[in-house]
Amino acid sequence: MGKDRLPPLRTLLFFEAAGRLLSFSAAARELACTQSAVSHQIGWLEADLGTALFRRLHRGVALTPDGVRLYEATRDALDGIGDAVTRIRDRRRPGVLNVATDFGFAAGWLLPRLSALRQLLPELDVRIVTMQNAIDLRREAADIAITFGHGHWPGCEAELLFPERVLPVCSPAFRASRAPGEAIASPAALTSLPLLHLESVGPAAWLSWGDWFTLHGLPMPAGGQELTFNNYPLVLQAALMGQGVALGWSPLIDDLMRDGYLVSLMDQPIQTERGYFLVVPNRRKPDERRDRFRRWVVEESRGDGDRKLRS
């Protein structure tokens, strides 16, 4: 096929997102467009190729054999473009280390420690790239990532920093007015309190309120007192302002709880097999800057764990 017969790059970007997320709705949210725009682009591509690329299901979509073939080729091509862009950017900004993470980890753990990093490694220029959606290092122009998940990212090496430990938290004033005492009597007592939710694109990678109630053998409350936000710092800000109860992830809430800005409503956290991992793409060339940053993050995370054991 000549270059004049290749589909437009915009259409392939729509197709790749839909194929990766297996949802036109999730792809639309990621691409900041409407679901109908995604459907239109996929429909045009299927008509142009003369074959179905997706099977429409009750919930989401599934790739057909032709869809899988095109998705793998598109993904590999975009990975190649991403590698080339990263190399060009690295040459233009040779002293910059690009670190990808989510809003919550950046605000709750990384940013408060950057001054210590600057003192230890003053020559290291760190650029923080934040996003709420899942981080795909095959596509992002990042040297290293601190991201949440189960620990498996294709083509990457991952090291666990913090397991997922979750507690319901609120402001001291909220607890004093709505749930007096050091902790509430039972998880069922939370069903009557206003809950603060973190919005998810597609299935939530992290523990949701629905998961929390299920793990305690309770149905999700019917609602009516809920607020939903699209990034975690906003969830915590609402909790600090006394708007309701948030799910608090360690270590993102540890400093706020230590300083008394947030308090827990339960004594025992829920721990899952997920967590925050330090992730490095295998294809990246050796980089002393990245290795030094990696060692610093690992040492800091272990120090946090030691301090919690002593407290």
Side-chain angles (χ1 to χ4, degrees):
M1 177 185 288
K3 291 182 179 179
D4 60 329
R5 290 292 297 132
L6 287 175
L9 178 59
R10 173 180 170 83
T11 300
L12 292 176
L13 290 173
F14 275 65
F15 168 73
E16 190 278 337
R20 173 167 41 85
L21 299 169
L22 296 179
S23 167
F24 288 1
S25 298
R29 287 191 291 269
E30 178 177 293
L31 297 167
C33 66
T34 64
Q35 181 179 348
S36 63
V38 175
S39 297
H40 175 77
Q41 291 288 330
I42 299 302
W44 181 92
L45 184 59
E46 290 178 325
D48 182 57
L49 297 176
T51 186
L53 301 173
F54 292 94
R55 289 187 294 109
R56 277 65 171 176
L57 307 176
H58 178 62
R59 289 183 176 273
V61 293
L63 288 163
T64 65
D66 283 337
V68 170
R69 190 175 299 111
L70 181 61
Y71 171 74
E72 291 175 348
T74 303
R75 179 198 60 201
D76 292 345
L78 291 175
D79 285 349
I81 293 172
D83 284 344
V85 169
T86 298
R87 287 193 293 269
I88 292 169
R89 284 174 172 164
D90 285 347
R91 284 199 299 270
R92 294 183 63 187
R93 297 182 299 185
V96 175
L97 181 73
N98 295 291
V99 180
T101 190
D102 60 46
F103 295 115
F105 195 88
W109 192 89
L110 188 55
L111 291 182
R113 289 164 175 78
L114 283 183
S115 60
L117 175 63
R118 292 193 189 99
Q119 293 178 7
L120 181 65
L121 303 172
E123 75 285 0
L124 186 62
D125 188 1
V126 176
R127 175 175 176 262
I128 308 298
V129 181
T130 56
M131 60 201 73
Q132 189 60 49
N133 300 336
I135 298 170
D136 187 349
L137 278 175
R138 297 171 299 179
R139 299 185 60 195
E140 301 298 334
D143 303 295
I144 193 168
I146 303 172
T147 187
F148 189 88
H150 286 88
H152 177 66
W153 286 267
C156 297
E157 178 184 346
E159 182 174 1
L160 179 65
L161 298 175
F162 302 100
E164 183 179 33
R165 293 192 183 100
V166 187
L167 280 166
V169 296
C170 62
S171 70
F174 181 93
R175 186 175 71 179
S177 63
R178 305 291 292 270
E182 290 299 315
I184 63 174
S186 70
L190 267 71
T191 60
S192 62
L193 300 178
L195 304 178
L196 306 174
H197 295 264
L198 176 59
E199 185 179 54
S200 173
V201 176
W206 49 85
L207 197 78
S208 67
W209 271 117
D211 299 327
W212 190 89
F213 282 107
T214 297
L215 289 171
H216 285 94
L218 297 167
M220 180 68 188
Q225 299 188 78
E226 300 180 354
L227 290 172
T228 301
F229 302 89
N230 67 353
N231 69 69
Y232 193 58
L234 289 179
V235 174
L236 290 184
Q237 186 62 35
L240 291 167
M241 295 173 64
Q243 298 297 313
V245 183
L247 288 174
W249 277 260
S250 179
L252 309 187
I253 59 168
D254 290 354
D255 291 345
L256 293 171
M257 293 191 67
R258 183 195 63 226
D259 296 336
Y261 294 111
L262 289 176
V263 292
S264 174
L265 290 178
M266 299 288 293
D267 290 328
Q268 295 297 321
I270 286 179
Q271 180 166 328
T272 76
E273 296 180 353
R274 298 170 298 204
Y276 273 103
F277 288 80
L278 192 66
V279 183
V280 180
N282 291 332
R283 70 173 185 272
R284 293 287 192 263
K285 60 185 178 182
D287 189 330
E288 177 61 22
R289 300 165 305 149
R290 183 188 63 217
D291 293 341
R292 294 169 74 183
F293 177 82
R294 182 177 188 170
R295 288 193 294 269
W296 173 79
V297 170
V298 171
E299 290 172 3
E300 282 290 309
S301 67
R302 290 174 180 168
D304 282 359
D306 292 341
R307 284 188 288 273
K308 290 190 72 174
L309 288 175
R310 293 194 297 269
S311 62

